Structures are given as structure tokens and as C-alpha cells.
Amino acid sequence: MTGAAAEIIMFGSLFFRHMLTRANVVNGYLYVITVMFFYLSVLRTFKSYNAALAVSLIAAVVPAFTFIYLPGASACLASALFCCFSFFIYTFTDAKGLKHNQDKHFTALSLLLYAAALYFSPYAAALPCFICIYAIINKKTIALKMLKKKILFFILLALTATVIRLCGF
């Protein structure tokens, strides 16, 4: 539903502003897919359909503004998409009924997606903060104990960010 709302807003905005070009449609669809993963991430975090729908519908209004269609916005949108996808995959590490080491596979996949997000934009460096907030919300434990448990994941994220920045990709 949020993807459809964002798509309708995107096409309406592009049509009425006479900006309907292939590049703008691609940027718009990149944002629509990001909104859908954002909805799934909010749903997995707060486990509330109403909260996920409300926040995602608010985010679906963004294609009405022209800044989303700027040429430099596509890299930020791709980074946001990879961040949302990385966060969504990371939430599966806490799922019940995982097989042996399956949580480590989800962590590794999340790390690779995070590296792709860092490749597109340095703003992706905020993702570890969201992961920490997610862990605090869902674990209901002291933040220090949570950080000790997830310290390996944060170290891998920091090393990945450092390697990407130093290599100058």
C-alpha cells in the first residue's frame, strides 16, 4: 500500500511538473522500493502494522518534492535502499528457530549490503546507530550488555567503512 501511494505521488508529481523523464522515473522507483523496505524494517522493529503504515505513508509523500529527482540524489537513494535492506536482513539474526550459525550468515549478508550502502554514500555510516536502537528496543536489556554481545558486528561494520573510505572507491 505504501509503495502504491509513493508510486501514485511520484507519477502525479512528475506529470504535473512536466518532469516526466526516464531518469526521474528511475529515481522515483528507487525511492518507492526504499519506502517498501523501510515499511518492512519499521514493521520488524516495532511489530505494529499501524506504526509501520503511518510512518511509511509519511515517507511516501517525499516524491512530491523536486529534490528527489536531482542527479546526485540517485546515489543517496541507492545508499538508503541498501541500508534499509541491510537493516531488514540484520533483524533476522534475532529470529526464533534459526539453524546452526544461520544468524552469522544473516550478519555477513547484512555487512555486505552495508558495504554497498557505504559505497554509494557516506551517510550510510548512521546505520550502526539504528541497529543499536533496534537492539535496545527489542532486547529490553541494558545497553552495555547488548553492546558486548554485538561488538563483533560493530567492529566488522567499522572495518568495512574504513576499508571502503581508504580505498577511495
Side-chain angles (χ1 to χ4, degrees):
M1 183 169 168
T2 59
E7 187 175 7
I8 290 168
I9 291 169
M10 173 193 66
F11 276 114
S13 173
L14 289 175
F15 181 74
F16 289 120
R17 289 193 176 141
H18 306 290
M19 296 173 56
L20 193 59
T21 64
R22 188 176 341 159
N24 289 344
V25 171
V26 169
N27 277 357
Y29 271 114
L30 193 57
Y31 184 76
V32 169
I33 294 169
T34 303
V35 166
M36 287 189 276
F37 274 108
F38 178 70
Y39 170 81
L40 291 173
S41 297
V42 171
L43 183 64
R44 294 265 313 158
T45 302
F46 295 106
K47 296 174 180 57
S48 169
Y49 288 105
N50 292 334
L53 184 63
V55 173
S56 297
L57 284 178
I58 291 169
V61 176
V62 171
F65 303 104
T66 57
F67 70 85
I68 198 166
Y69 305 111
L70 295 174
S74 58
C76 290
L77 289 174
S79 177
L81 177 63
F82 280 114
C83 277
C84 287
F85 196 46
S86 174
F87 181 78
F88 183 68
I89 294 296
Y90 179 78
T91 60
F92 286 115
T93 60
D94 295 331
K96 291 182 173 73
L98 292 177
K99 296 179 181 166
H100 182 66
N101 288 334
Q102 198 170 13
D103 59 337
K104 292 177 183 156
H105 296 279
F106 284 129
T107 303
L109 180 59
S110 178
L111 182 64
L112 288 174
L113 291 168
Y114 178 66
L118 280 173
Y119 175 76
F120 286 109
S121 175
Y123 296 117
L127 183 64
C129 297
F130 292 116
I131 289 175
C132 186
I133 291 169
Y134 166 77
I136 290 170
I137 288 173
N138 285 330
K139 295 290 185 186
K140 309 284 188 217
T141 61
I142 301 171
L144 185 60
K145 287 183 180 180
M146 183 277 310
L147 286 176
K148 285 181 182 178
K149 183 178 178 185
K150 300 291 183 179
I151 196 75
L152 177 64
F153 184 72
F154 289 116
I155 289 172
L156 289 175
L157 288 177
L159 287 175
T160 303
T162 304
V163 167
I164 286 176
R165 289 290 141 211
L166 290 177
C167 291
F169 289 116

